[in-house]
């Protein structure tokens, strides 16, 4: 049996994912990198990075660690206020 948390689809999660996506995109742009180049640096598929930046996917902690590392940030810095 497969269990999933109902919290992953809660309405309160959407704004957090949206802010995360904006933060990731802004930092990538600061670094002057395309989605394709940054995704490769992070060890992600470019489509996955696109979904993160658009706030339409709920990345795992492992994915967030790769994203943060690729951006030169800590995981906590990904969630700092804009």
């Amino acid at each position: 049996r497969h269990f999933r948390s109902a919290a992953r689809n809660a309405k309160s999660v959407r704004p957090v994912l949206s802010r995360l996506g904006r933060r990731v995109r802004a930092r990538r742009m600061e670094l002057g990198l395309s989605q394709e180049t940054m995704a490769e640096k992070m060890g992600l598929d470019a489509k996955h990075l696109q979904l993160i930046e658009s706030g339409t996917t709920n990345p795992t902690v492992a994915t967030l660690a790769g994203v943060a590392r690729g951006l030169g940030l800590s995981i906590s810095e990904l969630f700092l206020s804009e």
Side-chain angles (χ1 to χ4, degrees):
R1 193 168 179 191
H2 185 71
F3 294 96
R4 294 195 133 196
S5 169
R8 73 184 299 125
N9 295 318
K11 288 183 180 184
S12 62
V13 173
R14 290 184 192 138
V16 174
L17 295 176
S18 182
R19 283 192 306 274
L20 170 67
R22 287 193 304 269
R23 175 80 168 124
V24 169
R25 183 176 192 277
R27 178 65 177 156
R28 177 180 60 77
M29 300 292 282
E30 284 176 14
L31 296 172
L33 297 172
S34 68
Q35 283 183 333
E36 293 79 14
T37 301
M38 183 54 70
E40 186 175 312
K41 185 175 179 173
M42 293 172 174
L44 298 175
D45 180 78
K47 180 65 177 173
H48 195 177
L49 178 57
Q50 181 183 20
L51 292 172
I52 292 169
E53 287 189 0
S54 68
T56 56
T57 191
N58 192 345
T60 65
V61 173
T63 297
L64 290 174
V67 168
R69 187 173 38 256
L71 295 172
L73 300 172
S74 66
I75 292 176
S76 63
E77 287 175 306
L78 292 175
F79 295 94
L80 293 177
S81 298
E82 298 171 45

